[in-house]
Amino acid sequence: MAGSVGLPARVPRVGWMRSFRHGVLRARDRLREAASHVRRRWRQSLQLRVVTTTMLLGLAVVSVLGGGLHSQIASGLERDRIDESETEALNLTSQAQSYWDATTSTSVGELNQTASDIMSSILAAPGVEDPSRYVVMSRTPGNDSDILLVELVSPKNLVDTSVISDELQEAVAADPGRQQVQQTAITVEGKEVPAVIVGSVVQVPNAGPYSLFFIYPMEQEVATMDLIGNSFLVAGVILTLLVGGVAWVVTRQVVAPVRRASEVAQRLSAGRLNERMPARGEDDLALLATSFNGMADSLQHQIRQLEGLSAVQQRFVSDVSHELRTPLTTIRMAVDVIHDSRQRFDPATARSAELLAGELDRFEALLADLLEISRFDAGAAALDVETVDLRATVQQVVDAARPLAERRGSVVTVHAPELAVTADVDERRVERILRNLVVNAIEHGEGGPVDVYLGVGGGAVGVVVEDQGVGLRPGEAANVFTRFWRADPARARTTGGTGLGLSISLEDARLHNGWLQAWGEPGKGSRFRLTLPQHSGTTLHGSPVPLSPTET
Ligand SMILES: Nc1ncnc2c1ncn2[C@@H]1O[C@H](COP(=O)(O)OP(=O)(O)O)[C@@H](O)[C@H]1O
Ligand SMILES: [Mg+2]
């Protein structure tokens, strides 16, 4: 019961967590994909690299220049503002001093009245709401006169007098003949703005020295610098984009012909020897095109020459082989006659007749192989495809090789699957390949067992012929398919091969879009594997049987 209650509650939660985890994993994969895509683009595209680096460099230069210019303008504006403030403050102070000098007031009330008159008529700035300056009049520290005037602030209450530091007050008191300047920040309507404070002293009759502080907020300058800064920013962005655009256009001019050259080179290497680059103008790119075309011309010329030469050679081999056929037929008939009547000769002559017949067999085999090879070279070999069960083909080949195997003391075993191993092949050619492999295995198998394995799968059929004889030394697995190559030429006389068997077999396999591969270890034996696509026209991706015994 508890289980049945617990289960439905758990399932949705686990499901939700799983889908969340899936989502995260998918997002991570996407991100990785995108990153690798960008990395690939970066590596592949010269243009992208040039444009990006140029833009980054441009951005750096523009930032440094803009920053320097900005700070210079700012300090210039500030200096001007301070100079202006000092001049104005000096002027206003002297006006206030003359007013005091001319006054006849003596009582505290009268003096206070005069002070407020001075404040409103001379010192107060035009614009009450947003004045261009604030003025504070306060008793200078150290003034110990009995008459004490009230501190005045103009415009009233709009500025906090605490911004005037004690040091400034002391400095003004210490040197009444000089203006004192201080830069600070004040708060106007809740906003902090940099400001200049100019302080000086006026002598009030009967009341002693009083300090006048002129506070000039630099709102205007800040606004100007903001505007300049924004303009710089916009200009910088536009300039960087412009630089990037120029770099793009310029690299395009260089990269496009290079890309065209690589395309043409690719087509050339694919065998289209008539491809050339268009060469216009006299610049470096035209030079590249001209040299490229020159190289292509000379390559084409040499390839044509070689083609001609090898065509002549092939025709020569083919002609000679054909020419040899007729006299060989005659010789064959004569040798047969001699061979048949060898009992009537003395033993030495009879032996010669036997040798003659044997060598003639070899000669005929060689000639047949040569004719076959020249047919491949001339491109005259064609497939005669039909659907075949390879188990029957293998069995035929093995049966035919049985007399040879018995003579060598080898036992040939076929390991075939229960089911049919069908493939669309030219049976005559496949039989020739298999015969060659089986005969080779018996001849080089030193009397050991020979095993033939058959397999089918993955759209391919495979046959492996394995022996336990001399094997192949490292590097020989590739050489065995070379025409007339033999590991041990001295053995050829006893084995009777022509050295053309495997090269013909390879051509036959290739004609089927198939593989013929060799594996071997000295003293252990060799394995030869033939893999063919089950249906003609398809491409192989693997073989159903392993090439080396260690492979699975
Ligand atoms: N099963 C094998 N074991 C060892 N060596 C081999 C085997 N099959 C072929 N070879 C080597 O490859 C060479 C070329 O073989 P092939 O083309 O059939 O020519 P041939 O049999 O006429 O010598 C042989 O001479 C031999 O040295
Ligand atoms: Mg052979």
Side-chain angles (χ1 to χ4, degrees):
M1 195 60 210
S4 68
V5 173
L7 200 60
R10 278 178 65 93
V11 166
R13 214 180 121 219
V14 168
W16 172 82
M17 261 161 58
R18 187 174 304 144
S19 72
F20 177 73
R21 268 239 314 275
H22 266 279
V24 168
L25 286 181
R26 219 173 359 197
R28 203 186 57 188
D29 285 351
R30 288 253 177 79
L31 221 71
R32 254 190 220 151
E33 230 168 78
S36 81
H37 178 75
V38 167
R39 235 176 292 136
R40 204 169 339 113
R41 282 284 300 164
W42 177 261
R43 257 185 286 117
Q44 284 174 351
S45 173
L46 179 68
Q47 198 171 8
L48 180 71
R49 280 206 304 272
V50 170
V51 170
T52 316
T53 16
T54 316
M55 277 176 80
L56 286 178
L57 282 177
L59 194 67
V61 169
V62 163
S63 313
V64 169
L65 279 183
L69 218 59
H70 188 268
S71 73
Q72 264 200 342
I73 294 174
S75 66
L77 274 178
E78 200 180 83
R79 220 176 313 112
D80 282 358
R81 178 64 181 183
I82 293 172
D83 288 351
E84 243 172 55
S85 309
E86 282 179 18
T87 318
E88 197 184 84
L90 192 67
N91 196 2
L92 291 173
T93 312
S94 76
Q95 278 184 41
Q97 186 63 58
S98 351
Y99 204 105
W100 280 120
D101 288 349
T103 190
T104 51
S105 324
T106 44
S107 68
V108 180
E110 281 172 345
L111 285 172
N112 270 333
Q113 184 56 48
T114 311
S116 109
D117 285 351
I118 290 174
M119 201 50 120
S120 56
S121 63
I122 302 173
L123 304 180
V128 180
E129 284 300 311
D130 189 16
S132 62
R133 66 167 180 264
Y134 304 90
V135 188
V136 177
M137 187 183 112
S138 63
R139 202 170 140 103
T140 308
N143 177 358
D144 41 16
S145 161
D146 298 336
I147 300 174
L148 184 78
L149 301 184
V150 285
E151 188 180 80
L152 289 176
V153 179
S154 156
K156 254 192 163 32
N157 301 331
L158 270 181
V159 70
D160 185 1
T161 55
S162 67
V163 297
I164 302 161
S165 65
D166 288 345
E167 293 102 80
L168 183 60
Q169 299 206 21
E170 300 292 332
V172 168
D175 192 359
R178 281 250 317 266
Q179 276 187 319
Q180 301 293 335
V181 182
Q182 192 195 36
Q183 273 177 272
T184 179
I186 61 167
T187 314
V188 181
E189 290 161 7
K191 228 174 58 193
E192 184 143 303
V193 256
V196 199
I197 305 179
V198 185
S200 45
V201 173
V202 281
Q203 294 296 333
V204 178
N206 302 320
Y210 270 77
S211 307
L212 276 179
F213 294 102
F214 298 88
I215 305 172
Y216 293 96
M218 293 205 269
E219 271 169 318
Q220 195 57 51
E221 284 72 17
V222 168
T224 309
M225 279 329 292
D226 279 354
L227 187 72
I228 292 177
N230 284 339
S231 314
F232 272 23
L233 206 69
V234 171
V237 168
I238 291 176
L239 209 69
T240 309
L241 288 178
L242 217 69
V243 165
V246 169
W248 190 77
V249 170
V250 170
T251 39
R252 214 182 123 78
Q253 281 193 346
V254 179
V255 166
V258 174
R259 280 197 191 141
R260 226 176 302 130
S262 94
E263 275 166 22
V264 172
Q266 265 168 16
R267 265 177 264 148
L268 267 173
S269 57
R272 288 155 71 177
L273 296 179
N274 286 323
E275 290 285 336
R276 291 293 180 275
M277 263 181 87
R280 255 178 268 109
E282 295 169 16
D283 56 9
D284 304 273
L285 295 168
L287 194 67
L288 169 71
T290 317
S291 338
F292 186 93
N293 290 346
M295 182 192 72
D297 282 342
S298 111
L299 264 179
Q300 188 179 25
H301 179 69
Q302 291 195 6
I303 289 174
R304 288 267 151 82
Q305 234 175 2
L306 283 175
E307 273 176 356
L309 222 79
S310 85
V312 167
Q313 272 180 352
Q314 282 167 16
R315 182 123 31 81
F316 178 76
V317 172
S318 156
D319 287 352
V320 168
S321 317
H322 277 287
E323 287 304 320
L324 282 176
R325 265 194 341 185
T326 324
L328 199 63
T329 321
T330 323
I331 296 172
R332 171 96 264 170
M333 286 191 297
V335 166
D336 282 349
V337 170
I338 295 171
H339 190 254
D340 287 346
S341 44
R342 64 185 184 282
Q343 269 94 349
R344 282 183 269 132
F345 303 149
D346 58 280
T349 318
R351 176 81 190 121
S352 299
E354 264 167 22
L355 283 177
L356 189 60
E359 287 303 308
L360 198 61
D361 285 343
R362 278 173 57 93
F363 194 17
E364 274 181 336
L366 176 64
L367 203 59
D369 283 352
L370 274 178
L371 278 169
E372 194 59 40
I373 284 270
S374 55
R375 222 167 289 146
F376 276 117
D377 287 346
L383 275 186
D384 186 8
V385 175
E386 54 190 321
T387 307
V388 176
D389 185 354
L390 284 186
R391 293 181 306 173
T393 318
V394 168
Q395 201 54 54
Q396 273 169 32
V397 168
V398 169
D399 290 344
R402 191 140 287 144
L404 176 67
E406 273 162 14
R407 250 181 285 140
R408 301 282 170 142
S410 288
V411 179
V412 185
T413 319
V414 178
H415 308 265
E418 294 280 310
L419 295 171
V421 183
T422 51
D424 300 339
V425 294
D426 184 335
E427 196 180 11
R428 186 182 65 89
R429 292 181 191 279
V430 172
E431 203 181 314
R432 180 162 67 193
I433 301 173
L434 295 175
R435 193 187 322 125
N436 193 20
L437 296 185
V438 171
V439 168
N440 277 353
I442 295 169
E443 284 184 338
H444 302 283
E446 319 229 280
V450 171
D451 290 284
V452 183
Y453 299 92
L454 257 130
V456 58
V461 293
V463 184
V464 164
V465 180
E466 181 189 70
D467 66 65
Q468 295 174 13
V470 288
L472 297 171
R473 283 187 290 263
E476 287 188 352
N479 286 337
V480 290
F481 302 107
T482 310
R483 291 175 187 181
F484 296 113
W485 186 89
R486 292 191 187 100
D488 182 5
R491 280 174 72 92
R493 244 159 273 137
T494 56
T495 59
T498 59
L500 283 172
L502 284 177
S503 46
I504 292 175
S505 301
L506 185 65
E507 299 278 3
D508 276 330
R510 284 205 184 129
L511 215 54
H512 283 90
N513 274 332
W515 301 337
L516 183 60
Q517 295 148 302
W519 173 93
E521 256 181 46
K524 283 200 176 164
S526 327
R527 284 164 70 97
F528 283 78
R529 177 174 73 180
L530 171 70
T531 313
L532 300 174
Q534 257 189 311
H535 303 288
S536 46
T538 56
T539 322
L540 285 180
H541 299 291
S543 181
V545 277
L547 175 60
S548 82
T550 48
E551 225 177 282
T552 47

